[in-house]
Amino acid sequence: MVTTGAAPPSAPDGPVAPVPLRADVDLALGGRWTSLRGGGREWLWRGPEPGRAAVAPGAAFVDAGGLEECLPTVRGRPDHGDVWSRRWRATAGGDAVVECPDFTLTRRLAERSGVLVVDYRLTADPGYRFLWAAHALLDLSPGARLEAPAGTPTRLHPEAAALLPAGAFPAGRPWLSGGWPAPAGLALDALGPDDGTAVGAVLVGCPRVRVVDGADLLTFELEADGQPRGVGLWRNLRGWPEGRPYRSLGVEPMLGAAFDLADAGPDDAAVVPSAGEVTWRLTVSAHRRTGTR
């Protein structure tokens, strides 16, 4: 498990100091994180789409911002999964629980020395396959970037075809693979400025990423024994939706290696073992640069 409050991440541009984080959640509206803040900064973006309070299970996704829990899929059906549109309940022990037809998800969110530690437990029939993503939409400046290990296998999704040379994206395939930060020559680590494009990608087997925005650093780290881990990226620089585009930037720690469970091969989804339970931990921490070299 992660040792919370451990040494800060390496920072080639100067020393850093930890920034304590706090989160607010709304159990009635899908367990959604409505705030992630620290050091006078709000990290979560708020979206323009109305109607979030009126959703019901099976509804089309409402892009209201914040951090939504997506499970058992992100794209596909149900749209963004089956838990974001359901009412969660609090337990006497401090957990949050949502019950769906095929599984039950339990979440415990704790603050430890300014670091957010989120423990999940999913119970379902052995062999149940699923994807999960912490669908975090972040409020970032045009100079922000995403840092991940160079060469991390990265899957570009079909909307990237419009940004690549003609014929570069294989027809009928769910993704095109390449190495981070520029799979197929398409640089993805810069998270702005707005250029009218939108692209989704999954960093396969990547348990830890860092968002750098000026002096502020936000780190996501995911632990899950025996399950595939990755990070989803949704870089919408006013390229979507058609006709009324806006800016939205998703950095999404996930179990699995695909956005749509229907596309996931044998090694691309999490699987419930014979014990009928899967557990995982998400750790979110923040730092701020305190000087330069």
Side-chain angles (χ1 to χ4, degrees):
M1 291 293 183
V2 172
T3 303
T4 60
S10 60
D13 297 324
V16 298
V19 175
L21 288 174
R22 298 290 185 272
D24 294 333
V25 301
D26 188 337
L27 297 186
L29 292 182
R32 174 172 169 257
W33 300 34
T34 58
S35 178
L36 174 62
R37 63 194 183 277
R41 172 172 186 152
E42 173 60 59
W43 282 98
L44 294 181
W45 170 84
R46 294 185 179 180
E49 295 190 6
R52 181 66 179 82
V55 299
F61 185 64
V62 177
D63 202 6
L67 186 155
E68 305 274 13
E69 305 281 0
C70 296
L71 194 156
T73 192
V74 183
R75 298 184 182 182
R77 294 184 179 181
D79 185 10
H80 283 69
D82 201 27
V83 302
W84 72 273
S85 58
R86 294 178 180 269
R87 176 181 289 271
W88 295 40
R89 60 179 173 85
T91 71
D95 294 340
V97 179
V98 60
E99 296 171 342
C100 296
D102 296 325
F103 61 87
T104 297
L105 178 67
T106 302
R107 181 183 75 192
R108 171 165 290 190
L109 193 158
E111 180 271 323
R112 301 180 185 175
S113 301
V115 176
L116 297 181
V117 180
V118 195
D119 287 311
Y120 295 87
R121 183 176 72 254
L122 180 137
T123 57
D125 291 338
Y128 181 73
R129 301 175 76 246
F130 67 95
L131 305 173
W132 163 84
H135 186 274
L137 293 171
L138 303 179
D139 186 3
L140 302 174
S141 77
R145 66 184 190 275
L146 181 66
E147 294 185 346
T152 296
T154 303
R155 293 174 170 177
L156 292 170
H157 282 68
E159 60 272 12
L163 309 179
L164 299 174
F169 200 101
R173 297 287 298 276
W175 53 69
L176 172 65
S177 296
W180 181 266
L186 181 61
L188 294 180
D189 53 333
L191 301 179
D194 296 346
D195 60 7
T197 67
V199 63
V202 175
L203 286 73
V204 180
C206 184
R208 182 177 184 273
V209 293
R210 184 171 68 178
V211 176
V212 180
D213 192 6
D216 291 322
L217 315 174
L218 184 69
T219 302
F220 295 99
E221 187 162 1
L222 181 63
E223 298 172 276
D225 291 342
Q227 302 292 347
R229 295 173 293 174
V231 177
L233 171 64
W234 171 240
R235 193 183 69 176
N236 175 27
L237 304 177
R238 295 191 183 274
W240 184 90
E242 186 176 353
R244 49 184 182 87
Y246 50 83
R247 176 185 176 89
S248 58
L249 299 168
V251 178
E252 308 167 20
M254 62 187 300
L255 294 182
F259 281 137
D260 192 336
L261 185 60
D263 295 331
D267 298 324
D268 295 332
V271 180
V272 177
S274 59
E277 179 179 286
V278 175
T279 61
W280 64 96
R281 170 175 285 184
L282 173 65
T283 304
V284 188
S285 59
H287 294 79
R288 180 167 289 161
R289 291 195 179 95
T290 58
T292 57
R293 297 188 179 205

